[in-house]
Amino acid sequence: MSLPTLHAERQPTLLNDDQVREFIANGFLRLTPDVDPSLHVEIDALVRYACEKESWYGNNIVSRIPKLHHIVRCPVVDGAIESIAGPGYYFHPHRAVHINTPVEEREELTPEIDGPKMGKGSIAGSGWHQDAQSPLSRARHHVPRYLIGFYYPHETPLDMGPTRIQAGSHLYAHPVAPHGVVLPDVVPAGTFLLVHFDMVHAGFPNHSDRTRYMVKFVFARTRNPTGPSWNNVDASWKRPEACIPEFDLPETWSYIWHWMRGEPQVQTGQDTATVDEYVERLNGPDQPARLTSTYALAELQEVERLAAILEAAAGCDRHERTLATDERGQPVPRDDVRGYPRRWNERAIVMDDATYALAACGQQAIPTLERLLRHDDPWIQINAAFALGEVGTPARGSVAALAALLDSPHQQVVRQALDAIGAIGEGIGPALPAIEHLLTTTNLEWQEPQVMRGWTGENQVRMNAALALLNAINAGEHTEEIERILTGSLGDPNGYVSAIATEALTRIGTPTATRAALTFLSDRRWDDTLLGRVKAF
C-alpha cells in the first residue's frame, strides 16, 4: 500500500457555514478521513498488537504507531480542525487509547444510563463526565480553544460500545440529567469525531466478544481569530437545521460564531428578561438559563454589576481545592466533585458566570478586569486573568498587569496568569523575565503531587509557560529571546514542556532554532523496525 501523502502536499478541506454552525450548537462533527480504507485496517492491527502484546504507551501511542499522523493530517480532518481551532493549531502531546473490553453479563440498557458496568480492564469511563485537562487542570472555555478527536480504526456497532455524547452539553458548568444523547447504531471504520473539549460524554458497555479500541487526540488553538478560518459565505448566525439540542441559545451561539469570525459581539435582543432576572440565573442549575443570562448581560455591557458579583465571592478560599478522602478519612490528591462547586480543582475549572460575561463584554471590561487583578483574593485574580485572556488581542496592554501575578505564591494564580498571557498571544515582552525564571528555577512550595499520577503544580506552571511562548510566536515579537528560553527548556523533566518547546522552535524556524529541535529529537529517535523477535540491533 502506498502511504498517504503528507499534510504539506495536500490542501485542507475546510468546513462550510452549516458545519461550523452545527459544531457550535451540537458541540461535535462526524468526519470521514479521506485516506485509503486499508490504512484503518493496518492501524487497528497495530493498536491491538501494541495494547495486547506490548505495554501501555499512554501519550506515546502516536510515536509507537506513526501512521496515526496520516489520519490527523489528511485534508478532511486537518481542514475541520483548522476551521474550528484556527490556522496554526497545535497537536497537543496528550493522547490515549480508550479500551472497552467485553462485559461478562449482558444487560438491557438505555442510552441515558449513568455509570453502567464495564468489562474488566476497560479504561473507557461509563459515567457521564466532562474531560479533565492533562496533566493538571485548566479553565473551561465556551469558545473553541481545545478540541478532542475520537478516532475509531475499526467498525464499532452498538453492541461494541461506542462513546456516547450529549449534544449541546459542551457549554455546561457540570453534567446534568442526560438529554440530547447521541449513541449511534454503528460507527463505520475510520470515523473521526471532532468534539469540543468540554463535551459531556460517557462510555457504553461492550456486549460483543471483541475488545473495542478508540484513539483520543487533543488539539489546541494557538491564536485568536482575525477572520473566519472556514469557507465562510454568510456573516449572520442562524440556528442550524441539524441542531440536536431542544433548547435555543441565540445569545451564546451568536457570540461564539462572531468570535470565530474575529468580530465583536453582535446584539441579538432576543431575550427580554430584566437585568435582575439575568443576575438571579447566573451560576444556577438551569444550564440554558445561565448561559442566556451570561451573554445577555454581556450584550448590555453590565461591567460594574458583573464585577460586583464576582467580588462577592472573595474570602471563601475558592482558590483552594476540596479534596476527597480515603476509607480512613484521610485526604487524597483527588477532587471532591460533589455538587460541582465553582472553585479551583485539578480536573477543569469552571469560572464564575460573571467572569464569562465580563470576557464577552470585550474591550470595555479591560480597565475593570485590570483592577480585579490587584484584588487580594486569589480566586478573584484567577477569574480576572481568565477573562482578560478571553478578551484576547485587545487586552495586549494588560500583559504587564498579568505578568505581575507570575510572582504570586499561589501556583494556581500563576498557572491562570500564564494561560491568559498565552490566550492574548501578543505583547508578551513584559512577561518574559518571569516566564524564564519559572522555567529555570525550582519552587520548593510547588512540589506536592496534585493528582494520583504524581504531577505537581510546578509541572503545570512550566507547561503553561511553554504554551504561552508557543502562542506568542505568531506575533513575531521578541523572537530571539523566546528562542533562547525555549532552547533552555528542552531538557525539562516534564515531557509536555519539551514537546511544546520543540514545536515552538520548529515554528520559529531560524537555523539555530531548527538545529536545537532536530538535535533534541534525533537524540530520542526510536527505531521501530527493531520490534521483531530477531532484530535486536
Side-chain angles (χ1 to χ4, degrees), residues 52-66:
E52 296 172 8
K53 305 294 185 182
E54 295 177 352
S55 66
W56 172 242
Y57 285 98
N59 290 342
N60 290 318
I61 189 62
V62 181
S63 298
R64 170 64 184 89
I65 307 174

Side-chain angles (χ1 to χ4, degrees), residues 225-228 230 232-236 256-263:
T226 57
W230 65 95
N232 180 229
V233 176
D234 186 355
S236 62
I256 297 170
W257 168 264
H258 289 288
W259 182 88
M260 291 176 66
R261 283 178 44 82
E263 301 171 334

Side-chain angles (χ1 to χ4, degrees), residues 68-84:
L68 286 165
H69 283 290
H70 298 312
I71 302 301
V72 174
R73 289 173 176 156
C74 76
V76 164
V77 175
D78 174 46
I81 300 169
E82 179 176 325
S83 297
I84 302 297

Side-chain angles (χ1 to χ4, degrees), residues 12-26:
T13 303
L14 299 177
L15 300 176
N16 60 36
D17 287 342
D18 288 340
Q19 290 171 306
V20 172
R21 291 188 181 108
E22 287 175 27
F23 181 88
I24 290 172
N26 297 334

